[in-house]
C-alpha cells in the first residue's frame, strides 16, 4: 500500500474516532448534566375502576342477613357494600331480603316468589345466610342433643339448599352466589364439644352441595369465632355483634370482584 493510501486511511480513522468520542461525550453530558426536574417522568397513573351503575347485590336468608345484633343495623351485608364502595368508588345497589328466623324451607318458598325472582334476575352477587335456625332450633340442639334428630334436620336442610340453588340458577346463572357457613355460638357452653362436631359436619356437607354449582362459593366462618366467641357475640349470645359482623364482612368482601376487573 502506498504512503498516500496509508495516510488517507489514517486520517479517516482519526476522524471517525474523534467523531465517536464527540458523540459519546455529548451523550454523557446530556444524561448527567440534566437536573432531576428536567427529566420527564412517565409515571403510570392508576386506573380507576368503577362498578357499573346497575351493579346489584341481593341478600337472602335469616337474621344474620338482616344484621341482628349490630347496633348500627348494617350487619355483614351493609359492611360488604361499604367495602365495595370504597374499593370501586361507587356504591352497589342492594336488595336485602333477609327475614328474621327464616329456615331453609321458608327460603325455598321465598325464591319462588315472582318479585323475588325479578330481583334475583338483576343480581351480580347473591349473599346468603341460612341453616342456623334449621340446626340450632332456638338452642334445642344444645340442650336436647339427639344425633338421629340432627341428622334428619341436616338431610332436610341439604335438600332445601339444593332447591334454593336450582331456583336461583333458573332465573340467573351468571351471578356469583356466596353462602356463608355457620359458626358455633355455643362453644363455651358445651363441655363435650358435641355442637362443635355437629357444626363442622353441617358445614362440610353444606360445602359439598355448594361445590356442585360453578357460580357458588362457600364462605367459612367457624374459625373466626372459635377461639374467642364471646368477644364477637351480641348480648343474646347467638347473633354476632358489630365486631363479629366485621369479621364476616372481611372474609366475604374480597371474594366479590367485578367481572370487568378480571379482563
Amino acid at each position: 500500500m502506498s504512503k498516500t493510501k496509508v495516510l488517507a486511511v489514517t486520517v479517516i480513522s482519526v476522524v471517525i474516532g474523534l467523531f465517536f468520542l464527540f458523540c459519546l461525550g455529548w451523550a454523557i453530558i446530556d444524561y448527567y448534566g440534566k437536573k432531576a426536574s428536567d427529566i420527564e417522568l412517565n409515571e403510570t397513573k392508576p386506573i380507576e375502576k368503577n362498578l357499573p351503575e346497575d351493579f346489584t347485590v341481593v341478600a337472602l336468608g335469616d337474621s344474620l342477613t338482616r344484621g341482628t345484633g349490630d347496633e348500627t343495623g348494617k350487619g355483614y351485608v351493609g359492611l360488604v357494600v361499604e367495602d365495595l364502595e370504597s374499593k370501586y368508588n361507587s356504591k352497589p345497589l342492594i336488595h336485602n331480603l333477609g327475614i328474621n328466623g327464616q329456615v331453609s324451607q321458608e327460603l325455598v318458598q321465598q325464591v319462588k316468589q315472582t318479585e323475588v325472582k325479578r330481583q334475583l334476575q338483576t343480581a351480580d352477587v347473591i349473599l346468603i345466610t341460612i341453616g342456623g335456625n334449621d340446626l340450632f332450633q332456638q338452642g334445642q340442639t344444645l340442650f336436647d342433643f339427639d344425633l338421629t334428630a340432627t341428622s334428619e334436620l341436616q338431610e332436610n336442610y341439604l335438600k332445601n339448599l339444593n332447591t334454593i340453588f336450582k331456583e336461583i340458577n333458573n332465573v340467573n346463572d351468571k351471578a356469583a352466589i356466596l353462602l356463608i357457613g355457620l359458626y358455633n355460638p355455643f362453644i363455651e357452653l358445651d363441655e363435650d364439644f358435641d355442637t362443635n362436631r355437629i357444626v363442622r359436619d353441617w358445614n362440610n356437607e353444606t360445602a359439598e352441595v355448594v361445590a356442585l354449582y360453578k357460580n357458588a362459593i362457600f364462605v367459612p366462618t367457624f374459625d373466626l369465632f372459635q377461639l374467642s366467641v364471646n368477644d364477637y357475640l351480641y348480648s343474646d349470645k347467638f347473633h354476632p355483634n358489630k365486631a363479629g359482623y366485621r369479621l364476616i364482612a372481611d372474609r366475604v368482601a374480597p371474594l366479590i370482584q367485578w367481572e370487568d376487573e378480571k379482563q
Side-chain angles (χ1 to χ4, degrees):
M1 183 182 292
S2 67
K3 292 182 178 181
T4 303
K5 289 183 178 180
V6 171
L7 181 61
V9 171
T10 301
V11 170
I12 292 172
S13 298
V14 170
V15 170
I16 292 174
L18 291 173
F19 179 74
F20 173 77
L21 291 173
F22 173 78
C23 292
L24 178 61
W26 181 266
I28 292 173
I29 293 172
D30 182 62
Y31 182 82
Y32 289 103
K34 285 186 177 182
K35 298 179 180 178
S37 59
D38 296 332
I39 299 174
E40 183 178 354
L41 298 177
N42 295 320
E43 295 181 352
T44 303
K45 295 183 179 179
I47 300 174
E48 291 187 0
K49 298 173 181 177
N50 296 319
L51 293 174
E53 292 183 359
D54 61 348
F55 189 90
T56 302
V57 176
V58 173
L60 300 169
D62 50 32
S63 53
L64 269 70
T65 295
R66 296 306 308 175
T68 301
D70 180 357
E71 63 272 18
T72 69
K74 295 176 182 178
Y76 89 93
V77 175
L79 293 171
V80 165
V81 170
E82 285 185 352
D83 289 351
L84 291 177
E85 183 178 7
S86 175
K87 180 178 180 180
Y88 292 106
N89 302 311
S90 51
K91 187 175 183 178
L93 301 174
I94 175 68
H95 302 294
N96 192 326
L97 308 179
I99 299 174
N100 289 336
Q102 184 163 243
V103 295
S104 59
Q105 181 57 47
E106 293 169 335
L107 183 54
V108 168
Q109 300 305 316
Q110 186 183 21
V111 296
K112 293 180 179 180
Q113 296 172 8
T114 301
E115 178 58 22
V116 174
K117 284 184 176 182
R118 185 188 68 79
Q119 296 192 42
L120 288 172
Q121 285 176 335
T122 68
D124 294 284
V125 175
I126 299 169
L127 305 176
I128 304 176
T129 60
I130 199 68
N133 295 315
D134 293 69
L135 172 59
F136 293 122
Q137 300 281 301
Q138 297 181 339
Q140 290 306 307
T141 301
L142 173 65
F143 300 112
D144 200 11
F145 177 71
D146 185 322
L147 184 59
T148 301
T150 301
S151 296
E152 292 177 359
L153 291 173
Q154 184 183 70
E155 182 179 352
N156 291 331
Y157 162 75
L158 295 174
K159 180 180 178 180
N160 291 334
L161 191 61
N162 258 310
T163 303
I164 291 164
F165 275 99
K166 288 177 181 177
E167 290 290 334
I168 292 175
N169 278 311
N170 282 341
V171 297
N172 185 347
D173 60 358
K174 303 298 182 184
I177 306 172
L178 279 66
L179 178 67
I180 316 304
L182 301 186
Y183 59 90
N184 182 9
F186 304 122
I187 291 176
E188 295 192 357
L189 299 177
D190 183 7
E191 295 180 356
D192 297 325
F193 299 106
D194 288 326
T195 54
N196 263 1
R197 290 190 286 272
I198 293 171
V199 174
R200 284 183 180 276
D201 181 65
W202 188 282
N203 282 331
N204 290 337
E205 293 298 320
T206 298
E208 289 295 323
V209 172
V210 174
L212 298 175
Y213 300 88
K214 64 180 181 179
N215 60 326
I217 301 171
F218 176 77
V219 184
T221 65
F222 184 94
D223 60 305
L224 298 177
F225 292 77
Q226 185 176 9
L227 296 180
S228 52
V229 64
N230 285 328
D231 291 343
Y232 302 113
L233 292 182
Y234 183 55
S235 58
D236 63 6
K237 298 302 179 183
F238 185 78
H239 294 94
N241 56 22
K242 182 180 178 180
Y245 281 119
R246 180 73 263 177
L247 290 177
I248 297 173
D250 285 344
R251 182 159 286 180
V252 173
L255 298 175
I256 301 175
Q257 295 185 357
W258 176 33
E259 191 64 30
D260 283 3
E261 184 186 22
K262 305 174 188 176
Q263 299 174 356

